[in-house]
Amino acid sequence: MADVVAEQGRRVSSARPRKATSLRNMLGRKSTVAFLLTLPLILLIALLVLYPAFYSLYLATLNKAMTKFVGLGNFTFLFKRETFWMVVKQSCIFAITAVVFKALIGFIVAHFVHNIPGKKQRKWRGMLLVPWVIPPAMSTLAWLWLFDPSYSAFNYTLSFFGVGPIPWLGDTFWARFSVILVNVWYGAPFFLIMYLAALKSVPDQLYEAAAIDGANWWQKMWYVTLPMMRNIIAITTLFSLIVTFANFDIVRILTSGGPLDTTHLFATWAFQVGIQSSDIPLGACVSLFMVPILAVAAVFILRDVSKRGNEA
Amino acid sequence: MSTLTIDKAGPTRKLGSMSRDRAWALRWSYVFLVLFAIFFLTPPVYMLITSLKSSAEISAATNPWWVFHPTLSNYVELLTSNQFLRFFWNSSIISIVVVIVTMLISIPAAFALARMKFWGSATLATGVFLTYLIPDSLLFIPLFKMLAVIQEFTGVTLLNRWYVLVFIYPTLTVPFCTWIMIGYFASIPKELDEAAIIDGASWLQTLLRIFIPVALPGLIAATIFAFTVSWAQFLYPLVFTTSIDQLVLPVGITTTLIKGDVFNWGQIMTGALLGAAPPLVIYAFLMDYYIAGLTAGATKG
């Protein structure tokens, strides 16, 4: 403001009306323009992301009817429930197993696609990315139908190999297997495309140099490809870990947490507790347990991003 | 094959064996790619197969992987039912409005963050990225309660209204779109806009006349991303809307076509396929932009 006033004073003698000039000066100033351009973004983040996030913390300290402050009562209540620990366990099993398999499949398929000569590559890439494009709620319905107990296409096919009907979604082990399988199916193309982009950015000269030095396939992979891809692998894995950990659609449609709550993740359990049983504070409490994991992953990703920003 | 012959003409024996290795590597690549393609494409193909079957054929104990009496009755039934068209309409209008809102917010913001260094701009850019990492499953309960409280105080009905989603979805799309637009804008040579400013263009003119045309590929990528995300969103509409006329496609199909334990699989699969169609069609034509958008988020600093 100070320099606006100063400028006003200097221009008093000018012929133009004073008010219009100062307004135009202010609008013309870089910081004002920048502020106005980012204002909608700031408002959106503040009102619809930051405020709800803190509001969630407040909600988690109320009793079920939301009339009384109970402090950490909801948290201690959760710690005493067996289902809560099952959800913690299942969320970790689900996220870690799914991310490991997604990363592995993505890595392997990316190499195969990278091997294919130029023109055909586009066609394969297009086909293999389809699971990522279909809305997960829709594709999970197709999986639900494939897993159907009585008319399951999978069980029909398996019966030809003499393998008895598998209770895909009715048995704890198979239900866990199924939700992870669907998540891997949905998420692997994301890794594939990231790794493919990373592979393309490795300069050919490095491989040529390695070949001249007599490096075999494993050595090229270990000393050239992996170090060059390390950043992308780390960032993609961490990012996927966040998304997988917070997954809702797949488990909700496939099992709704069953059998006996054994496939619940934080998100689906929070939905069941908070919305379906209308215990909003407890639901908020459950979903808040995702925060520490998300925060750790975010710190690592951020460190990586800013490191790269400095290099550029 | 051409690489093979070129390599064979090479001077040493060593090179010849390398080319043979390469040919085998290529063959194995195809074998495994076919296997993975089967794994990746089975559910959508099965959707299509089931959608062409009558209920009688679905419950018959015949080979589920083949259609013996193809029929379009599922499509006719769905496309003539008001419910399904209503869901489709809700989804379309929400996604289109969300794309517009997202662009209106993220393009100016990305421009300011990429080009106008101001107090707190670095922090804000990082903040945008962090917001992108906050999932919907963390915010749906407080947002639900917020809508209920606002409804209580102002008397404006917010819960169970599809248009509320238009305000909520940008929290998912804007951070990512801003983030990739920052990357695209930052890659535009500084000389371009400096020349424009020297010629007397205002910031707004610089944005409209230079940045938007030059960064059009990034803009298309962001648009596709915003559309796909709003089209696929399942959690927020499931929590915020309940009446049949307010539902969007994913929620509508999962809640109305499944009645108790009765699954009308023919119609569910048809609905799912039709629901998957718009993103698939967009992707078929604009795949390269979509991939560019996906990778830009993580590969551009």
Side-chain angles (χ1 to χ4, degrees), chain A residues 28 30 33-34 37-38 40-42 44-45 47-49 51-53 55-56 59 66 105 108-109 112-113 115-117 120 122 124-139 141-146 148 151 153-154 156-157 181 185 188-190 193-194 197 232 235 239 242 246 248-249 252-253 267 270-271 274-275 280 283-284 287-288 290-291 294 298 301-302 305 308, chain B residues 22 25-26 29-30 32-34 36-37 39-44 46-47 50 58-59 61-65 105 108-109 111-113 116-118 124 126 128-135 137-146 149 167-168 170-171 174 178-179 203 228 231-232 234-235 238-239 249-250 253-254 258 263 265 268-269 272 275-276 279-280 283 287-288 290-291 294-295 298-299:
Chain A
K30 208 166 112 179
V33 177
L37 290 177
T38 45
L41 175 82
I42 296 170
L44 179 87
I45 293 179
L47 292 180
L48 290 169
V49 179
Y51 179 74
Y55 188 49
S56 185
L59 283 176
M66 286 185 277
I105 292 180
I108 295 169
V109 180
F112 288 142
V113 176
N115 271 347
I116 305 285
K120 290 177 198 148
R122 207 172 167 272
W124 282 101
R125 204 177 49 173
M127 257 191 320
L128 295 169
L129 204 59
V130 162
W132 178 259
V133 181
I134 302 177
M138 305 291 173
S139 50
L141 281 173
W143 281 101
L144 184 63
W145 174 215
L146 284 163
D148 187 87
Y151 303 106
F154 284 162
Y156 179 90
T157 315
L181 176 72
W185 174 84
F190 174 67
I193 216 67
M194 289 302 192
I232 298 232
I235 243 182
F239 175 70
I242 292 182
F248 176 81
D249 308 17
R252 173 73 204 159
I253 292 176
F271 177 81
I275 304 294
I280 289 184
S287 56
L288 278 175
M290 285 189 284
V291 173
L294 302 184
I301 292 183
L302 213 61
V305 166
R308 217 131 35 106
Chain B
R22 242 202 90 55
L26 194 60
S29 297
Y30 276 120
F32 282 105
L33 279 181
V34 168
F36 279 110
F39 171 56
F40 282 148
L41 293 177
T42 297
Y46 198 57
M47 261 189 218
T50 311
I58 287 171
S59 47
T62 51
N63 185 352
W65 299 103
I105 296 177
F111 174 64
L113 290 175
M116 310 160 97
K117 294 272 174 279
F118 56 94
L124 188 58
T126 314
V128 167
F129 184 71
L130 276 181
T131 317
Y132 171 47
L133 298 177
I134 299 180
S137 42
L138 188 65
L139 296 179
F140 71 99
I141 289 178
L143 281 171
F144 175 75
K145 184 65 190 154
M146 268 168 74
V149 169
F167 298 97
I168 308 286
T171 58
V174 165
T178 309
W179 183 248
W203 287 104
T228 331
W231 188 270
F234 179 66
L235 177 54
L238 184 67
V239 175
L249 212 51
I253 292 172
T254 45
I258 301 174
F263 290 74
W265 282 114
I268 295 174
M269 287 300 101
L280 276 176
Y283 163 73
M287 179 173 83
D288 294 328
Y290 187 71
I291 293 173
L294 272 183
T295 41
T299 53

Side-chain angles (χ1 to χ4, degrees), chain B residues 2 12 20 54 89 94 106 128 141 144 170 196 222 236 257 271:
Chain B
S2 60
T12 58
R20 221 173 305 136
S54 63
W89 169 254
I94 290 173
S106 62
V128 167
I141 289 178
F144 175 75
Y236 286 149
L257 290 178

Side-chain angles (χ1 to χ4, degrees), chain A residues 96-113:
Chain A
I96 294 170
T97 321
V99 170
V100 166
F101 277 100
K102 281 189 266 195
L104 268 179
I105 292 180
F107 191 77
I108 295 169
V109 180
H111 273 89
F112 288 142
V113 176

